[in-house]
Amino acid sequence: MDVLGVLNLGEVGVYFSKMAMFPVFDLAYYIVSILYLKYEPGAVEVSRKSPVASWLCAMLYCFGSYILADIILGVCPVDYFHNNTHILLATAVWYLVFYCPLNLFYKCVAFLPVKLVLVALKEVVRARKIAAGVHHAHHAYHHGYIIMVITGYVKGSGVALMANFEQLLRGVWKPETNEILNMSFPTKASLYGALLFTLQEAHLLPVSKSTLICVFTLFMATSKVFMTARHSHGSPFALVESWVCHLLFGSPLASADDHHAPAAAAAPVSPVKTKEELSEGTRKRKAKKAE
């Protein structure tokens, strides 16, 4: 029995799951992805010095999840690039975001009300990609549930997982920003979504796929829009994860003091600067006395 059938979400879910993503939703996905690329330190400078490197970074932001999923499933990693329409659309967005006169296009899409709409549309694509990744892996490996989870996870957050490689294209190397070590909300949500869709494919979750896509998309879009509007980098899962990790893995419980940890860690730097300043002052006094 469909648990959510009593809520009359079945028909809505079927209609929603059959909606075409191209061009509106895909366009929003490309705009937000390349917008986030422009936020990265040094991305604008790279676009001026090396447009080719900037374009490659933009393509990774747009299609990185497809490339990584193809590698995992043993498919040619450049297979998706035969979709000329998508490549041209993403390229046009990249050019407008970085090179539009007076930054007009960037200012329009970065305007908060417009950005919130685009972010919501992007999450629709993310949810659909997770479901498609799990479904694709299910056809290749009928009982490979771990492979289904990994493929769906990669399809939803492949861009973040390839961030270190993308940084190399921009001449940056920050291994401490590894997404596995510091998982953001979209990455965590992609993992949980992949688990849900895998359970649904295994018929262990009494919900139809169309209904699950609809509910998960609603959750993702609502959460991301709310976080974007508040300029928040937190996670709705933080409290639950804190208790679960504490009980299962002995991790310390998160507290308000954790937010002050970076400042506390940075505090020892100031005495070093003070000593350098004192040493510099001492040298100047000695030089003056010698004169």
Side-chain angles (χ1 to χ4, degrees), residues 194-227:
L195 286 169
L196 291 175
F197 283 107
T198 299
L199 292 174
Q200 195 280 327
E201 286 284 357
H203 305 290
L204 298 176
L205 196 64
V207 179
S208 67
K209 180 182 291 186
S210 58
T211 302
L212 183 57
I213 290 175
C214 183
V215 173
F216 184 72
T217 301
L218 183 62
F219 166 75
M220 288 293 295
T222 304
S223 301
K224 202 67 173 71
V225 166
F226 182 75
M227 294 169 63

Side-chain angles (χ1 to χ4, degrees), residues 5 39 45 55 64 70 82-83 98 114 150-151 154 172 189 194 215 222 225 229 234:
Y39 291 158
E45 289 76 4
W55 180 82
D70 285 345
H82 79 277
N83 296 310
F98 280 96
V114 176
I150 293 175
T151 307
V154 164
V172 180
V215 173
T222 304
V225 166

Side-chain angles (χ1 to χ4, degrees), residues 23-119:
V24 177
F25 293 91
D26 285 329
L27 177 61
Y29 185 90
Y30 300 150
I31 290 174
V32 176
S33 298
I34 297 176
L35 195 62
Y36 287 158
L37 170 61
K38 191 167 184 176
Y39 291 158
E40 290 293 324
V44 176
E45 289 76 4
V46 170
S47 68
R48 299 294 184 268
K49 294 187 296 185
S50 178
V52 174
S54 178
W55 180 82
L56 287 174
C57 291
M59 294 304 103
L60 283 180
Y61 263 71
C62 294
F63 309 114
S65 56
Y66 298 101
I67 295 172
L68 198 54
D70 285 345
I71 293 174
I72 291 174
L73 295 176
V75 182
C76 179
V78 297
D79 183 65
Y80 192 82
F81 283 85
H82 79 277
N83 296 310
N84 297 323
T85 305
H86 287 268
I87 300 300
L88 290 174
L89 183 60
T91 300
V93 171
W94 161 75
Y95 186 85
L96 290 173
V97 168
F98 280 96
Y99 304 105
C100 181
L102 303 178
N103 254 350
L104 289 179
F105 185 80
Y106 168 78
K107 292 175 182 177
C108 289
V109 297
F111 182 53
L112 187 58
V114 176
K115 185 179 178 181
L116 293 180
V117 174
L118 294 174
V119 166

Side-chain angles (χ1 to χ4, degrees), residues 227-247:
M227 294 169 63
T228 304
R230 296 188 59 188
H231 303 284
S232 171
H233 297 284
S235 170
F237 310 122
L239 183 61
V240 176
E241 289 174 344
S242 177
W243 280 100
V244 171
C245 292
H246 177 69
L247 293 174

